[in-house]
């Protein structure tokens, strides 16, 4: 929701405004975005990034970027750099506030010693499976670990030896001593530290062989950095009592945790575990495959960061989970590109069109509009000649009643050019059409003075002045609205779309596209929006389809009606 000034209004901003009025945190607002570097960021993370950075800006505060690097088994420096690039691409800057959980390992260890001395933490010898068994269920209380009542001295000794690497991986943990009968399972003596020795940490190497769990590290990181409002997704609501318990027991600065519903979207998987599986099984071509919901994938697909930010702003934040139609995101992408992308004519499935009464050597320079939505983009010159290429889909030998494009004996207008009328079709020995013969009306060049009304206008390129390009036609990766709804005995890959990528080579394009650089976006007239791919070379240009020209307006209007 927006207020009269256009500023976003939601329950989180209302809470922050109340805290400022009451003087809580001295009127400060300090947020953080805390990704775990175990994969690339996706569109769900974009919602959290926009929320944290935008709130900090709106209230004159600060936002930290902090990597939650507490599990070396899954984390890599590649992910750290990719995350930083994605946040910068979205348009946000953490300035000098780049932090890592690993910056605080020594301080966290000291805090753990403090809890042990207070009798609030103990070293447990139960295996992970035994800990789960002792934990109980939602209807049955857990039972105490047989190691729960070790003396403070014994726990201090064992914990120090854990740090020194004396014990095998998985053999011991440090657990908080809270309440094994609590109705909140998170308070049933949660694990604070586990032993991980087999892999080095991406920043600290083998210096540490005990690593904090997220529940233990989260509040400490927020406290150390002076965060005021710790914004988390809704699954952490049941963890908030534990967040509060740790900080209260230590008696240290206490931020406020607030939870909001995470983003769920149709036809999309937003789980790093599943996304990593797609990459590892080579179902997609890496984390930046344009079919992936990662920010790297969307960047390569040609999504403008402004459109993603507007999408995140308009869907807002709520306390209950919901599923957003992917068409809404595509709408904002299309809306932005319609205003900013220059137009070009590209024939994806070319067939020759020969104008029989046009002079053999003549070449005309016609004027074409770069973007009708932005007059400042001006015009460009396009060449017109006797031999052209049009799209095969714009011609039918035996057209149905409502087919208004080119057919034998029928006349259509060529975009920015003349009316042409089909007189003959040339086929090869297989019966396939290889050439369409036409005549043109020389008096019909100017739409302003020509009185003919065209039932159809088709695009084209001149055979004398065009280039060959490769076009990658991307579609949704999944055919089912909920990709995680799959039959028992199968997995989510049964819902993959077998036609999610079609590569078309030797498409015919306006010659001015020869100067396109990776990241340049265009509207291919009557086809869709496309972006120049990083695979492009000077000799071989590649363009990825971003979105089609069609907008699912009924669904979009329903969404906005509901919001207002």
């Amino acid at each position: 929701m927006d207020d009269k000034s256009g500023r976003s209004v939601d329950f989180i901003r209302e809470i922050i405004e109340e805290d400022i009025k009451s003087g809580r945190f001295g009127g400060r607002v300090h947020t953080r975005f805390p990704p775990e570097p175990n994969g690339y960021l996706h569109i769900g993370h974009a919602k959290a990034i926009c929320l944290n950075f935008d709130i900090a800006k709106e209230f004159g505060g600060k936002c930290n970027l902090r990597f939650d690097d507490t599990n070396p088994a899954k984390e890599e420096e590649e992910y750290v750099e990719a995350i930083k690039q994605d946040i910068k691409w979205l348009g946000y800057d953490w300035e000098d506030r780049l932090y890592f959980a690993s910056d605080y390992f020594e301080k966290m260890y000291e805090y753990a010693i403090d809890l042990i001395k207070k009798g609030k933490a103990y070293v447990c010898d139960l295996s992970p499976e035994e800990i789960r068994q002792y934990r109980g269920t939602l209807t049955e209380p857990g039972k105490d670990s047989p190691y729960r009542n070790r003396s403070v001295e014994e726990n201090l000794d064992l914990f120090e030896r854990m740090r020194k690497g004396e014990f095998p991986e998985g053999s011991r943990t440090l657990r908080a001593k809270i309440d094994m009968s609590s109705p909140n399972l998170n308070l049933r003596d949660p694990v604070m530290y586990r032993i991980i020795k087999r892999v080095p940490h991406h920043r600290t190497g083998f210096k540490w062989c005990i690593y904090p769990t997220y529940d233990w590290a989260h509040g400490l990181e927020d406290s150390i950095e002076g965060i005021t409002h710790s914004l988390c997704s809704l699954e952490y609501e049941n963890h908030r009592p534990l967040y509060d318990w740790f900080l209260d027991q230590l008696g240290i600065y206490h931020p406020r945790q607030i939870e909001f519903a995470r983003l769920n979207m149709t036809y999309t998987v937003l789980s790093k575990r599943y996304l990593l599986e797609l990459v590892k099984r080579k179902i997609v071509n890496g984390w930046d495959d344009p079919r992936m919901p990662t920010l790297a994938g969307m960047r390569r697909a040609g999504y403008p960061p402004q459109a993603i930010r507007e999408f995140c702003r308009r869907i807002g934040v709520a306390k209950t989970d919901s599923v957003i139609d992917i068409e809404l995101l595509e709408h904002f992408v299309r809306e932005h590109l319609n205003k900013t992308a220059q137009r070009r004519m590209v024939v994806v499935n070319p067939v020759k069109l020969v104008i029989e009464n046009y002079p053999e050597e003549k070449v005309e320079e016609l004027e074409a509009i770069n973007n009708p939505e932005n007059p400042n983009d001006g015009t460009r010159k396009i060449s017109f000649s006797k031999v052209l290429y049009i799209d095969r889909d714009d011609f039918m030998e035996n057209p149905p009643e409502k087919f208004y494009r080119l057919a034998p004996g029928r006349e259509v207008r060529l975009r920015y050019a003349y009316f042409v009328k089909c007189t003959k079709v040339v086929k090869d020995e297989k019966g396939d059409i290889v050439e369409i013969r036409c005549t043109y009306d020389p008096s019909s060049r100017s739409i302003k003075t020509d009185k003919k009304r065209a039932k159809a206008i088709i695009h084209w390129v001149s055979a004398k002045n065009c280039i060959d390009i490769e076009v990658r036609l991307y579609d949704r990766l999944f055919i089912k609205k909920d990709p995680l709804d799959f039959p028992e005995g199968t997995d989510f890959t049964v819902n993959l779309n077998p036609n999610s990528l079609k590569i078309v080579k030797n498409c015919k394009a306006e010659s001015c596209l020869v100067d396109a650089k990776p990241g340049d976006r265009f509207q291919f007239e009557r086809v869709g929006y496309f972006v120049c791919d990083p695979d492009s070379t000077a000799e071989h240009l590649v363009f990825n389809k971003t979105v089609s020209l069609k907008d699912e307006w009924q669904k979009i209007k329903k969404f906005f009606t509901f919001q207002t």
Side-chain angles (χ1 to χ4, degrees):
M1 300 289 287
D2 293 344
D3 64 14
K4 291 180 181 179
S5 68
R7 187 177 67 88
S8 296
V9 178
D10 52 61
F11 77 97
I12 293 179
R13 287 172 169 87
E14 289 174 349
I15 289 173
I16 292 174
E17 286 178 347
E18 285 300 315
D19 285 346
I20 291 172
K21 288 178 184 177
S22 68
R24 187 173 184 175
F25 307 116
R28 291 186 308 113
V29 174
H30 199 155
T31 62
R32 84 289 175 268
F33 175 62
E36 184 179 357
N38 62 354
Y40 280 54
L41 299 182
H42 54 61
I43 185 65
H45 295 112
K47 177 180 177 179
I49 293 168
C50 293
L51 180 64
N52 278 285
F53 279 93
D54 284 347
I55 280 179
K57 183 178 180 181
E58 288 170 28
F59 291 98
K62 299 176 181 179
C63 182
N64 296 354
L65 171 58
R66 178 211 306 146
F67 287 95
D68 179 47
D69 55 343
T70 58
N71 186 356
K74 296 182 178 181
E75 297 159 0
E76 297 179 17
E77 188 65 27
E78 173 194 349
Y79 299 142
V80 170
E81 294 306 315
I83 289 169
K84 289 159 66 175
Q85 181 183 5
D86 286 342
I87 297 172
K88 290 282 189 182
W89 174 72
L90 270 181
Y92 296 105
D93 186 1
W94 54 89
E95 298 173 329
D96 60 346
R97 296 179 302 280
L98 173 61
Y99 303 108
F100 294 81
S102 53
D103 293 335
Y104 314 129
F105 280 175
E106 192 66 46
K107 188 65 176 175
M108 290 179 192
Y109 181 79
E110 292 172 5
Y111 281 139
I113 294 293
D114 190 15
L115 278 192
I116 293 173
K117 288 179 178 179
K118 291 178 177 180
K120 299 294 185 179
Y122 63 97
V123 174
C124 182
D125 295 3
L126 293 179
S127 68
E129 180 58 35
E130 289 171 329
I131 289 175
R132 282 190 289 271
Q133 292 172 0
Y134 274 61
R135 194 182 190 198
T137 66
L138 290 171
T139 57
E140 297 179 354
K143 58 182 181 179
D144 290 353
S145 164
Y147 309 99
R148 196 173 195 263
N149 294 316
R150 278 174 162 156
S151 68
V152 169
E153 292 72 24
E154 184 179 6
N155 283 319
L156 289 172
D157 175 65
L158 289 172
F159 190 48
E160 183 181 2
R161 291 165 64 191
M162 283 172 61
R163 175 176 180 170
K164 290 179 178 178
E166 292 186 19
F167 306 121
E169 187 162 325
S171 62
R172 283 190 163 97
T173 58
L174 182 72
R175 298 174 66 183
K177 187 187 289 188
I178 308 180
D179 182 3
M180 289 302 294
S181 62
S182 172
N184 186 335
L185 270 65
N186 294 303
L187 296 178
R188 295 183 185 178
D189 290 12
V191 172
M192 297 165 56
Y193 279 90
R194 69 277 202 210
I195 301 171
I196 301 176
K197 301 170 69 174
R198 67 186 184 277
V199 291
H201 188 277
H202 71 102
R203 294 184 77 228
T204 61
F206 288 103
K207 178 180 178 180
W208 291 89
C209 57
I210 56 169
Y211 288 92
T213 59
Y214 182 78
D215 278 332
W216 169 241
H218 179 201
L220 302 184
E221 295 161 356
D222 288 345
S223 178
I224 293 168
E225 293 176 14
I227 300 304
T228 58
H229 300 86
S230 182
L231 309 181
C232 305
S233 49
L234 203 57
E235 64 263 33
Y236 291 103
E237 186 173 31
N238 288 334
H239 294 250
R240 191 188 337 137
L242 181 56
Y243 179 97
D244 294 337
W245 187 89
F246 280 134
L247 297 176
D248 290 343
Q249 295 302 315
L250 291 167
I252 58 178
Y253 169 78
H254 196 144
R256 180 174 188 174
Q257 179 176 307
I258 306 171
E259 305 84 23
F260 62 93
R262 66 190 302 170
L263 174 63
N264 299 296
M265 201 158 61
T266 57
Y267 300 100
T268 309
V269 168
L270 293 179
S271 162
K272 281 186 185 176
R273 179 166 65 91
Y274 288 120
L275 297 179
L276 179 60
E277 191 171 342
L278 291 171
V279 173
K280 285 187 172 179
R281 290 169 62 174
K282 300 189 183 302
I283 293 170
V284 295
N285 299 314
W287 286 97
D288 67 342
D289 188 300
R291 293 166 292 181
M292 291 279 273
T294 57
L295 296 183
M298 291 182 173
R299 180 164 61 249
R300 191 165 185 176
Y303 279 40
Q306 300 92 329
I308 294 176
R309 292 201 307 269
E310 181 63 11
F311 166 74
C312 292
R313 188 185 74 83
R314 292 301 296 269
I315 63 174
V317 290
K319 261 288 191 182
T320 54
D321 285 323
S322 61
V323 180
I324 303 296
D325 278 323
I326 194 171
E327 287 90 352
L328 184 64
L329 173 60
E330 292 171 346
H331 161 71
F332 286 112
V333 171
R334 195 178 285 111
E335 184 178 59
H336 183 86
L337 292 176
N338 185 48
K339 297 173 184 176
T340 60
Q342 292 199 4
R343 277 50 168 172
R344 297 292 184 266
M345 290 197 288
V346 174
V347 179
V348 175
N349 187 15
V351 61
K352 271 188 182 180
L353 184 147
V354 179
I355 304 175
E356 296 177 308
N357 61 332
Y358 195 87
E360 191 76 37
E361 299 301 323
K362 184 177 180 180
V363 176
E364 289 183 77
E365 293 295 317
L366 307 179
E367 190 171 53
I369 298 170
N370 282 329
N371 186 348
E373 301 295 321
N374 182 11
N376 292 331
D377 276 347
T379 60
R380 67 190 186 280
K381 297 294 183 181
I382 53 176
S383 296
F384 187 85
S385 58
K386 183 182 183 71
V387 182
L388 311 173
Y389 289 106
I390 66 168
D391 200 290
R392 287 182 184 273
D393 290 341
D394 284 333
F395 178 84
M396 288 190 74
E397 199 170 8
N398 299 295
E401 185 179 347
K402 293 187 178 181
F403 182 86
Y404 297 116
R405 286 164 278 174
L406 195 59
R410 183 177 292 174
E411 196 174 43
V412 299
R413 177 176 286 283
L414 298 177
R415 180 78 159 145
Y416 300 116
Y418 302 93
F419 271 93
V420 294
K421 184 176 183 179
C422 177
T423 58
K424 183 180 178 182
V425 174
V426 180
K427 299 181 180 181
D428 62 15
E429 61 275 7
K430 296 179 182 178
D432 296 328
I433 297 172
V434 293
E435 196 174 285
I436 300 165
R437 297 272 176 157
C438 291
T439 58
Y440 86 115
D441 179 355
S443 67
S444 64
R445 172 171 168 174
S446 173
I447 295 178
K448 293 179 181 178
T449 58
D450 184 44
K451 295 182 180 180
K452 290 183 182 180
R453 180 170 295 179
K455 283 192 174 182
I457 299 176
I458 65 175
H459 64 288
W460 54 275
V461 295
S462 167
K464 276 192 174 182
N465 194 12
C466 68
I467 60 171
D468 286 345
I469 64 171
E470 178 182 313
V471 168
R472 297 174 182 174
L473 301 172
Y474 288 99
D475 200 352
R476 291 170 188 160
L477 190 56
F478 295 97
I479 57 175
K480 203 167 186 177
K481 271 196 169 185
D482 180 5
L484 298 184
D485 178 17
F486 48 83
E488 188 176 348
T490 64
D491 66 14
F492 75 108
T493 59
V494 300
N495 293 322
L496 285 167
N497 177 6
N499 300 309
S500 63
L501 171 59
K502 181 182 178 183
I503 298 176
V504 187
K505 298 180 182 294
N506 299 318
C507 303
K508 306 298 181 181
E510 285 185 45
S511 59
C512 62
L513 275 177
V514 73
D515 296 323
K517 301 293 186 295
D520 289 350
R521 305 182 186 97
F522 301 92
Q523 183 196 103
F524 290 176
E525 297 202 33
R526 301 179 62 236
V527 181
Y529 293 99
F530 288 77
V531 65
C532 188
D533 187 80
D535 284 346
S536 296
T537 64
E539 297 76 27
H540 181 73
L541 290 172
V542 178
F543 289 86
N544 300 328
K545 182 180 177 182
T546 306
V547 287
S548 66
L549 298 177
K550 183 182 178 183
D551 212 341
E552 298 289 346
W553 264 109
Q554 293 307 314
K555 292 181 180 179
I556 293 162
K557 284 192 286 188
K558 282 182 183 178
F559 174 84
F560 288 126
T561 301
F562 173 76
Q563 291 293 300
T564 55

